Amino acid sequence: MYKILTGIFLLTSIVFAYLWFDTTRSSEIDTFTRDAATSAVSELPFRIEDVILSFESYHSEEDEKANFYAETLLTRSLQQLTGNQRLLNAAERSSELEKGYFRDYSNELFKLRSVITKESFTNEESDKVEEITAALKEIHSDVQYIIEKESFTVSDKEKMQALTETIRTFNDQFLS
C-alpha cells in the first residue's frame, strides 16, 4: 500500500511540475504576435518614405487632376502609417509584452500623422513644407538606423523608446 501511494504521489508531482512549466513559458501564439508586431514596426521606414514622397508630390503638383491623385496618395500613406494598430494591440495582450506597451509609440505616430494632415489639408499653402520634408527625411534615416540593427525586436524597450523619442522630436518641433 505504501508503494502504491508513493507511486501515485510521484506521478502527480511530475504531472503538476509539467503543467507549471508549461504555463510559465510563452505560447506559440504569443511569440507569433510579438514577431508580427516586430515585422510591422520594422516596416516604419518604408511607411515614412511613402509619406515623404506623397507629401512632396502633393505640395508640388499644380495640375488639379494630378493634385487630386497626389492627395489620395498622401491620404493612403498617412493611413498606412498607423494602420497596424490592431496588430500592436494584439501583441500587447500577449504574455510577452505588458498592456500599454505601444501606447507612447502609437500616440507619437498619430501626432505625426496629424502634423502632416494639418500642414497639407488644413493649411494647404503652408510655408513649412520644405522644413517638414527635411525633418521627415531626418526621421526616416534615424528610424532606419534603429530598425536595421540586426537584433531589433519590439520586446527591446530601449530600442522602442529610441524609436518613440525620434518621432517625438519631430512632433515637438512642429506642434509647438
Side-chain angles (χ1 to χ4, degrees):
M1 183 69 158
Y2 175 72
K3 289 182 181 182
I4 294 172
L5 289 175
T6 304
I8 292 172
F9 177 71
L10 184 61
L11 284 174
T12 56
S13 296
I14 291 170
V15 167
F16 282 123
Y18 173 75
L19 291 174
W20 176 78
F21 175 74
D22 193 45
T23 59
T24 57
R25 65 184 177 120
S26 298
S27 73
E28 293 173 9
I29 293 173
D30 293 340
T31 305
F32 177 77
T33 56
R34 186 207 58 220
D35 291 344
T38 298
S39 178
V41 172
S42 295
E43 291 179 1
L44 186 60
F46 305 111
R47 302 284 186 215
I48 292 174
E49 187 175 16
D50 288 345
V51 170
I52 292 169
L53 294 173
S54 58
F55 183 77
E56 287 176 329
S57 175
Y58 175 74
H59 287 285
S60 65
E61 290 298 330
E62 299 296 325
D63 181 34
E64 188 174 321
K65 188 174 183 180
N67 194 28
F68 172 76
Y69 288 121
E71 180 180 346
T72 304
L73 184 63
L74 179 59
T75 303
R76 287 185 181 158
S77 297
L78 290 172
Q79 288 172 344
Q80 289 176 348
L81 187 65
T82 55
N84 292 321
Q85 192 60 41
R86 287 185 178 170
L87 179 61
L88 298 179
N89 290 342
E92 283 181 347
R93 288 190 296 272
S94 72
S95 64
E96 299 262 330
L97 305 170
E98 69 254 11
K99 187 173 175 128
Y101 187 80
F102 292 107
R103 183 180 305 126
D104 291 340
Y105 170 77
S106 296
N107 287 343
E108 294 305 322
L109 274 182
F110 277 106
K111 285 179 188 177
L112 178 110
R113 181 178 162 178
S114 69
V115 166
I116 303 297
T117 301
K118 177 183 160 207
E119 295 301 326
S120 295
F121 304 123
T122 307
N123 191 7
E124 289 185 26
E125 298 300 322
S126 176
D127 56 341
K128 297 181 182 178
V129 172
E130 291 165 7
E131 187 180 347
I132 289 174
T133 304
L136 280 172
K137 288 179 181 178
E138 183 180 332
I139 281 182
H140 177 261
S141 64
D142 293 345
V143 166
Q144 196 166 18
Y145 176 76
I146 293 168
I147 288 179
E148 285 186 352
K149 290 187 176 183
E150 60 191 56
S151 61
F152 177 77
T153 178
V154 292
S155 55
D156 186 351
K157 273 194 166 193
E158 289 179 13
K159 290 182 181 169
M160 283 304 296
Q161 281 182 321
L163 203 56
T164 304
E165 284 301 317
T166 301
I167 300 167
R168 185 174 288 139
T169 56
F170 173 87
N171 293 338
D172 291 345
Q173 183 179 358
F174 294 104
L175 286 175
S176 55

